[in-house]
Amino acid sequence: MTENRKTDWTAPSPGVHAPQRIPLAFWAFHGRFNRAYRKYAELHLGDERLAGQVVHAVFLSLLQGWTRLMEEACPAASAWAHLKETVDDVLMAQGRDSAMAETAVFQRVARAVLEDARDEFAAMESSVGLYPAIARLPGRQFDVMVLHYVLDCSTAKTASIMGISEATVRSHRLHARNRIARELGLEPDTEHNED
């Protein structure tokens, strides 16, 4: 699920040293993306504490190479790729696959239970096939579906987190929905619902 590029922000540019003070722009970036990064990592790792540690390490890495990150064409996209790569590295080191399908089903059922206990089984039944189908999507389609539908990010927030345009988010979402519909034996999406 990671992109096929690897940027090493931890290696400083020639003549560039780590900042003595943490730039205000870093804190703004952290405030904007920390929650979504943690939710995304927790979804894959299935462990809130580990997700917090991984995201903390990602932000430390981004801070260490802040100057280089800000020189990137799209810093948000580069940071997102770094997060995904780090989560994948942790999963690989632990010798396991993403827990996304199980974690997402659990979260949906938990929400349903809190809203209305009668919906618990309906939520579980409808989620059981959906989340594994999402897990089989290509990288960007997968990210869009997870951020938008599983983590409840708006189109604008999804675009911001991934460092892509809102039109690209909508396109990935439409293609993903149609792919999932075919896989689950449902009618493809002929209406282009924005959210």
Coordinates of all heavy atoms in Angstrom, one line a residue, residues 12-51:
P12 N 20.0 15.4 6.8 CA 19.9 16.8 6.6 C 20.6 17.2 5.2 O 21.5 16.5 4.7 CB 20.7 17.4 7.7 CG 21.5 16.4 8.3 CD 20.9 15.1 8.0
S13 N 20.0 18.2 4.6 CA 20.6 18.7 3.4 C 22.0 19.3 3.7 O 22.3 19.7 4.8 CB 19.7 19.9 2.8 OG 18.5 19.4 2.5
P14 N 22.9 19.3 2.7 CA 24.2 19.8 3.0 C 24.1 21.2 3.5 O 23.5 22.1 3.0 CB 24.9 19.8 1.6 CG 24.1 18.8 0.8 CD 22.7 18.8 1.3
G15 N 24.8 21.4 4.6 CA 24.9 22.7 5.3 C 23.6 23.1 6.1 O 23.5 24.2 6.6
V16 N 22.7 22.2 6.2 CA 21.4 22.5 6.9 C 21.5 21.7 8.2 O 21.8 20.5 8.3 CB 20.2 22.0 6.1 CG1 18.9 22.2 7.0 CG2 20.1 22.8 4.9
H17 N 21.2 22.4 9.3 CA 21.2 21.7 10.6 C 19.8 21.7 11.2 O 19.0 22.4 10.8 CB 22.1 22.5 11.6 CG 23.6 22.6 11.1 ND1 24.4 21.6 11.1 CD2 24.2 23.7 10.5 CE1 25.6 22.0 10.6 NE2 25.5 23.2 10.2
A18 N 19.6 20.8 12.1 CA 18.3 20.7 12.7 C 18.0 22.0 13.4 O 18.9 22.7 14.0 CB 18.3 19.5 13.8
P19 N 16.7 22.4 13.4 CA 16.3 23.7 14.0 C 16.5 23.7 15.5 O 16.3 22.7 16.1 CB 14.9 23.9 13.6 CG 14.4 22.5 13.3 CD 15.6 21.7 12.8
Q20 N 17.0 24.8 16.0 CA 17.2 25.0 17.4 C 15.8 25.1 18.1 O 15.7 24.7 19.2 CB 18.0 26.2 17.7 CG 19.4 26.1 17.2 CD 20.2 25.0 17.8 OE1 20.1 24.7 19.0 NE2 21.0 24.2 17.0
R21 N 14.9 25.7 17.5 CA 13.5 25.9 18.0 C 12.6 25.2 17.0 O 12.8 25.1 15.8 CB 13.2 27.4 18.1 CG 14.1 28.2 19.0 CD 13.8 29.6 18.7 NE 13.4 30.3 19.9 CZ 12.7 31.4 20.0 NH1 12.4 32.0 18.8 NH2 12.4 32.0 21.1
I22 N 11.5 24.7 17.6 CA 10.5 24.1 16.7 C 9.7 25.2 16.0 O 9.1 26.0 16.7 CB 9.6 23.2 17.6 CG1 10.4 22.1 18.2 CG2 8.5 22.6 16.7 CD1 9.7 21.2 19.2
P23 N 9.7 25.1 14.7 CA 9.0 26.2 13.9 C 7.5 26.1 14.2 O 6.9 25.1 14.4 CB 9.3 25.8 12.5 CG 10.4 24.9 12.5 CD 10.4 24.2 13.8
L24 N 6.9 27.3 14.2 CA 5.4 27.4 14.4 C 4.7 26.7 13.3 O 3.6 26.1 13.5 CB 5.0 28.9 14.4 CG 5.4 29.7 15.7 CD1 5.0 31.1 15.5 CD2 4.8 29.0 16.9
A25 N 5.3 26.7 12.1 CA 4.6 25.9 11.0 C 4.5 24.4 11.3 O 3.6 23.8 10.9 CB 5.4 26.2 9.7
F26 N 5.6 23.9 12.0 CA 5.5 22.5 12.3 C 4.3 22.2 13.3 O 3.6 21.3 13.1 CB 6.8 22.1 13.0 CG 6.7 20.7 13.6 CD1 6.9 19.6 12.7 CD2 6.4 20.5 14.9 CE1 6.8 18.3 13.2 CE2 6.3 19.2 15.4 CZ 6.5 18.1 14.6
W27 N 4.2 23.1 14.3 CA 3.1 22.9 15.2 C 1.7 23.0 14.5 O 0.8 22.3 14.8 CB 3.1 23.9 16.4 CG 4.2 23.6 17.3 CD1 5.3 24.4 17.6 CD2 4.4 22.4 18.0 NE1 6.1 23.7 18.5 CE2 5.6 22.5 18.8 CE3 3.7 21.2 18.2 CZ2 6.1 21.5 19.6 CZ3 4.1 20.2 19.0 CH2 5.3 20.3 19.7
A28 N 1.6 23.9 13.5 CA 0.4 24.0 12.7 C 0.1 22.7 11.9 O -1.0 22.2 11.9 CB 0.4 25.2 11.8
F29 N 1.2 22.2 11.3 CA 1.1 20.9 10.6 C 0.7 19.8 11.5 O -0.1 19.0 11.2 CB 2.5 20.7 9.9 CG 2.5 19.6 8.9 CD1 2.3 19.8 7.6 CD2 2.9 18.3 9.3 CE1 2.3 18.8 6.7 CE2 2.9 17.2 8.4 CZ 2.6 17.5 7.1
H30 N 1.4 19.7 12.6 CA 1.1 18.7 13.6 C -0.4 18.8 14.1 O -1.1 17.8 14.1 CB 2.0 18.9 14.8 CG 1.9 17.9 15.9 ND1 0.9 17.9 16.9 CD2 2.6 16.7 16.1 CE1 1.0 16.9 17.7 NE2 2.0 16.1 17.3
G31 N -0.8 20.0 14.4 CA -2.2 20.1 14.8 C -3.2 19.8 13.8 O -4.3 19.2 14.1
R32 N -2.8 20.0 12.5 CA -3.8 19.7 11.4 C -3.9 18.2 11.1 O -5.0 17.7 10.8 CB -3.3 20.4 10.2 CG -4.1 20.4 9.0 CD -3.6 21.3 7.9 NE -4.6 21.3 6.8 CZ -4.3 21.9 5.7 NH1 -3.2 22.5 5.5 NH2 -5.2 21.9 4.7
F33 N -2.8 17.5 11.3 CA -2.8 16.1 10.8 C -2.6 15.0 11.9 O -2.8 13.8 11.7 CB -1.6 15.9 9.8 CG -1.8 16.7 8.5 CD1 -0.9 17.6 8.2 CD2 -3.0 16.6 7.8 CE1 -1.1 18.4 7.0 CE2 -3.2 17.3 6.6 CZ -2.2 18.2 6.3
N34 N -2.2 15.4 13.1 CA -2.0 14.4 14.2 C -3.1 13.5 14.4 O -2.9 12.3 14.5 CB -1.6 15.1 15.5 CG -1.2 14.1 16.6 OD1 -0.3 13.3 16.4 ND2 -1.8 14.3 17.7
R35 N -4.3 14.0 14.6 CA -5.5 13.1 14.9 C -5.7 12.1 13.8 O -5.9 10.9 14.1 CB -6.7 14.0 15.2 CG -7.9 13.2 15.6 CD -9.0 14.2 16.1 NE -10.1 13.4 16.6 CZ -11.2 13.2 15.9 NH1 -11.4 13.7 14.7 NH2 -12.2 12.5 16.4
A36 N -5.7 12.6 12.6 CA -6.0 11.7 11.4 C -4.9 10.6 11.3 O -5.2 9.5 11.0 CB -6.1 12.5 10.1
Y37 N -3.6 11.0 11.5 CA -2.5 10.1 11.4 C -2.7 9.0 12.5 O -2.5 7.8 12.2 CB -1.2 10.8 11.6 CG -0.7 11.6 10.4 CD1 -1.5 12.0 9.4 CD2 0.7 11.9 10.4 CE1 -1.0 12.7 8.3 CE2 1.2 12.6 9.3 CZ 0.4 13.0 8.3 OH 0.9 13.7 7.2
R38 N -3.1 9.4 13.7 CA -3.2 8.5 14.8 C -4.3 7.5 14.5 O -4.2 6.3 14.8 CB -3.5 9.2 16.1 CG -2.2 9.9 16.7 CD -2.5 10.6 18.0 NE -2.8 9.6 19.0 CZ -2.0 9.3 20.0 NH1 -0.9 9.8 20.2 NH2 -2.4 8.4 20.9
K39 N -5.5 8.0 14.0 CA -6.6 7.2 13.7 C -6.2 6.2 12.6 O -6.6 5.0 12.7 CB -7.8 8.0 13.3 CG -8.4 8.7 14.5 CD -9.5 9.7 14.1 CE -10.7 9.1 13.6 NZ -11.8 10.1 13.3
Y40 N -5.5 6.7 11.6 CA -5.1 5.8 10.5 C -4.2 4.7 11.0 O -4.3 3.5 10.7 CB -4.4 6.6 9.4 CG -4.0 5.9 8.2 CD1 -4.9 5.6 7.2 CD2 -2.7 5.3 8.1 CE1 -4.5 4.9 6.0 CE2 -2.3 4.6 7.0 CZ -3.2 4.4 6.0 OH -2.8 3.7 4.9
A41 N -3.2 5.1 11.8 CA -2.2 4.1 12.3 C -2.9 3.1 13.2 O -2.6 1.9 13.2 CB -1.1 4.8 13.1
E42 N -3.8 3.6 14.1 CA -4.5 2.7 15.0 C -5.4 1.7 14.2 O -5.5 0.5 14.6 CB -5.4 3.4 16.0 CG -6.1 2.5 17.0 CD -6.9 3.3 18.0 OE1 -6.9 4.5 18.0 OE2 -7.7 2.6 18.7
L43 N -6.0 2.1 13.1 CA -6.8 1.3 12.3 C -6.0 0.1 11.8 O -6.4 -1.0 11.7 CB -7.4 2.1 11.2 CG -8.5 1.5 10.3 CD1 -9.7 1.2 11.2 CD2 -8.8 2.4 9.2
H44 N -4.7 0.4 11.3 CA -3.9 -0.6 10.8 C -3.2 -1.5 11.8 O -3.0 -2.7 11.6 CB -2.8 0.0 9.8 CG -3.4 0.4 8.5 ND1 -3.8 -0.4 7.5 CD2 -3.8 1.7 8.1 CE1 -4.3 0.3 6.6 NE2 -4.3 1.5 6.9
L45 N -2.8 -0.9 12.9 CA -2.0 -1.6 13.9 C -2.9 -2.3 14.9 O -2.4 -3.2 15.6 CB -1.0 -0.6 14.6 CG 0.0 0.1 13.7 CD1 0.7 1.2 14.4 CD2 1.0 -1.0 13.1
G46 N -4.1 -1.8 15.1 CA -5.0 -2.4 16.0 C -4.7 -2.2 17.5 O -5.1 -2.9 18.3
D47 N -3.9 -1.1 17.7 CA -3.4 -0.9 19.1 C -3.2 0.6 19.2 O -2.3 1.2 18.6 CB -2.0 -1.6 19.2 CG -1.4 -1.5 20.6 OD1 -1.6 -0.4 21.3 OD2 -0.6 -2.4 21.0
E48 N -4.0 1.2 20.1 CA -4.0 2.7 20.2 C -2.6 3.2 20.7 O -2.1 4.2 20.3 CB -5.1 3.1 21.2 CG -5.2 4.6 21.4 CD -6.3 5.0 22.3 OE1 -7.0 4.1 22.8 OE2 -6.4 6.2 22.6
R49 N -2.0 2.5 21.7 CA -0.7 2.9 22.3 C 0.4 2.8 21.2 O 1.2 3.8 21.1 CB -0.4 2.0 23.5 CG 0.8 2.5 24.2 CD 0.9 1.7 25.5 NE 2.3 1.9 26.1 CZ 3.1 0.9 26.3 NH1 2.8 -0.3 26.1 NH2 4.3 1.2 26.7
L50 N 0.4 1.7 20.5 CA 1.5 1.6 19.5 C 1.3 2.6 18.4 O 2.2 3.2 17.9 CB 1.4 0.1 18.9 CG 2.4 -0.2 17.7 CD1 3.8 0.1 18.2 CD2 2.2 -1.6 17.2
A51 N 0.0 2.9 18.0 CA -0.2 3.9 17.0 C 0.3 5.2 17.4 O 0.9 6.0 16.7 CB -1.7 3.9 16.7

